[in-house]
Amino acid sequence: MAAHSEGPITIRRVENKADKREFVELAYRLNRGDPAWVPPLKNEVFDLLTPGKNPWFEHGKAQLFLARRGERTVGRISAHIDALALAQPAEQGMGPGTGNWGLLEAEDEEVAAALFAAAEDWLRAQGMHRALGPLSISVWDEPGLLIEGFAEAPTIMLGHNSPLYRGWVEAAGYRPAKQLLNYAVDIVDGFPPIVERIVAAGEKNARIRVRRVDKRRFDAEAALIMGILNDAWSDNWGFVPLTDSEIAHVGKKLKALVFEDLIRIAEVDGEPVAFMIVLPDINELLIDMNGSLLPFHWAKLLWWLHKPKSRRLRVPLMGVVKKLQNSRMASTLAFMMIEFIRRDAVRDYGATRGDIGWVLDDNQGMKAVADAIEARVNRVYQIYDKSFG
């Protein structure tokens, strides 16, 4: 990342389509030299930032900022406030008076400092007294700053940033609030004998049924899964409930990446109580597309989506309803879903590795599951906070 320190920095708000295009394009220029950075599809980024396209804006508001030296754009940041986050208990991380920032890109520390000041000023003017970030834009999108694991490109829906940013964030007065862990696990040869025994016992338990998702009933299945999610994660740090329109939006966005044998719903006594979503790693394609499906990348993408071969798979979401958490049944269901999907993933997708994340650093249940299948932490994301008057 080249530094250009000549001339004063000016900060301006993004106010029109040209500004927004500049905001989006900057990330591609600043990260072009990083072989581990995966360029997102540009239309996806525009949709994330556009009211009417992203249902987050039904309960949130955001201001985007650009930094310039002369005529050169040298940085960007978003500042945003989520009404649903403000309504959460303060002890869970969000809560009254807490705004957020995200989507940081900067050529150097001086630019970053000016951007943080602009974001904080905007949040302060909106009545906030604390900034928690980075979130891009929701906690459900790409939360956290990468602080460990820069050598390898991330899997689908995991963020990546310059290793310089950590120092710049901390120099601006931000302190660590929470870490999010991503685990990698080799899946070709199966899991340790203790896990195999738990799975075998679960398969003999007549109360338990672990089924594939039914894509013909996609909307109903998506609503069922997200209902379990909202219950399962409701006590987690940073939790903000997903609205019905957000659930529909996520379902529509991910539908092309949903494969019935990679998603499981677990039932106990006929009641759906747990789920696990696994996605093939589309980043293996996107890393060479520079954010665009034109002129011919769309054909490659459509061919891949027909039946993807994916070396890596990611588990972005799994959950067990609150009433079963910390029980032996919960761990049995988790191991069964992981093992059933592992078998299909190796056989049908050519997968050799699974990524599990994010996992909150205080989620002892999921950390125990990860340890049991001999997964190792390969990426660490940090969320920071700062109080101001």
Side-chain angles (χ1 to χ4, degrees):
M1 181 178 294
H4 300 263
S5 56
E6 69 286 348
I9 298 166
T10 57
I11 303 292
R12 58 177 286 182
R13 295 186 178 195
V14 169
E15 294 178 337
N16 54 46
K17 285 186 177 179
D19 290 342
K20 189 179 284 187
R21 191 174 304 113
E22 214 171 302
F23 186 96
V24 170
E25 294 283 352
L26 179 67
Y28 297 81
R29 175 163 62 83
L30 292 188
N31 291 289
R32 192 168 290 137
D34 186 343
W37 188 71
V38 179
L41 292 174
K42 289 178 184 176
N43 66 322
E44 294 274 323
V45 184
F46 280 109
D47 286 355
L48 175 75
L49 302 176
T50 304
K53 298 280 191 180
N54 180 357
W56 177 87
F57 284 97
E58 294 169 9
H59 52 84
K61 56 183 174 180
Q63 179 61 58
L64 309 180
F65 295 93
L66 291 168
R68 285 189 175 154
R69 281 196 180 100
E71 295 302 308
R72 181 181 176 84
T73 301
V74 292
R76 73 178 201 187
I77 200 169
S78 61
H80 29 97
I81 298 168
D82 185 339
L84 296 182
L86 296 179
Q88 296 304 304
E91 60 270 18
Q92 276 185 240
M94 297 290 190
T98 299
N100 307 111
W101 59 268
L103 297 165
L104 174 70
E105 298 288 353
E107 283 197 353
D108 56 47
E109 183 172 352
E110 185 183 15
V111 172
L115 289 166
F116 288 131
E120 291 163 17
D121 285 347
W122 184 84
L123 291 172
R124 192 181 292 111
Q126 302 288 324
M128 302 296 106
H129 56 73
R130 177 174 175 249
L132 191 76
L135 303 180
S136 305
I137 291 180
S138 156
V139 72
W140 296 105
D141 293 313
E142 287 186 7
L145 187 81
L146 182 66
I147 62 169
E148 294 178 26
F150 293 95
E152 186 179 27
T155 46
I156 179 173
M157 295 167 65
L158 283 174
H160 188 84
N161 52 261
S162 166
L164 296 173
Y165 288 2
R166 179 181 188 176
W168 301 351
V169 170
E170 293 177 0
Y174 284 86
R175 296 292 171 258
K178 184 62 62 177
Q179 286 191 348
L180 309 175
L181 311 176
N182 188 75
Y183 288 84
V185 59
D186 296 325
I187 61 173
V188 174
D189 296 326
F191 299 128
I194 179 64
V195 175
E196 293 178 352
R197 288 196 295 272
I198 292 170
V199 171
E203 288 178 292
K204 294 174 185 172
N205 188 334
R207 298 177 61 206
I208 297 173
R209 177 188 179 221
V210 177
R211 65 174 179 86
R212 295 180 176 185
V213 76
D214 184 352
K215 202 168 181 179
R216 294 168 302 177
R217 301 175 54 250
F218 181 82
D219 291 344
E221 296 280 58
L224 172 64
I225 286 171
M226 293 304 173
I228 296 173
L229 176 70
N230 271 341
D231 176 76
W233 285 35
S234 59
D235 291 337
N236 284 3
W237 187 94
F239 175 78
V240 178
L242 284 164
T243 64
D244 289 344
S245 54
E246 284 175 305
I247 290 168
H249 178 71
V250 170
K252 183 178 179 183
K253 195 164 88 167
L254 293 181
K255 189 170 185 178
L257 286 170
V258 167
F259 297 90
E260 294 182 332
D261 48 355
L262 294 182
I263 300 179
R264 291 295 198 280
I265 294 172
E267 300 173 355
V268 175
D269 298 327
E271 178 190 356
V273 293
F275 74 92
M276 177 175 164
I277 295 175
V278 175
L279 299 175
D281 183 27
I282 198 171
N283 281 3
E284 293 176 15
L285 280 186
L286 295 183
I287 198 165
D288 296 321
M289 290 188 177
N290 197 33
S292 174
L293 292 178
L294 301 174
F296 302 117
H297 291 147
W298 62 271
K300 186 192 295 186
L301 179 63
L302 287 175
W303 176 259
W304 185 87
L305 288 171
H306 176 66
K307 190 63 175 179
K309 290 295 181 183
S310 184
R311 181 176 59 87
R312 302 184 302 179
L313 302 173
R314 177 166 176 233
V315 184
L317 295 171
M318 64 184 297
V320 180
V321 292
K322 210 184 313 185
K323 67 182 180 182
L324 289 181
Q325 288 174 6
N326 303 314
S327 70
R328 184 175 296 179
M329 177 64 80
S331 57
T332 297
L333 298 176
F335 288 130
M336 290 177 73
M337 291 187 294
I338 291 170
E339 170 59 13
F340 292 177
I341 293 176
R342 184 200 71 79
R343 295 172 189 170
D344 289 347
V346 172
R347 184 186 66 237
D348 297 335
Y349 295 83
T352 60
R353 196 184 97 189
D355 271 23
I356 302 173
W358 307 271
V359 176
L360 290 167
D361 58 8
D362 60 357
N363 186 337
Q364 300 306 325
M366 271 309 302
K367 290 172 76 174
V369 168
D371 289 343
I373 62 174
E374 299 181 344
R376 56 183 174 78
V377 175
N378 72 329
R379 297 175 81 83
V380 178
Y381 294 85
Q382 181 77 61
I383 295 180
Y384 291 89
D385 77 354
K386 178 181 180 180
S387 297
F388 42 80

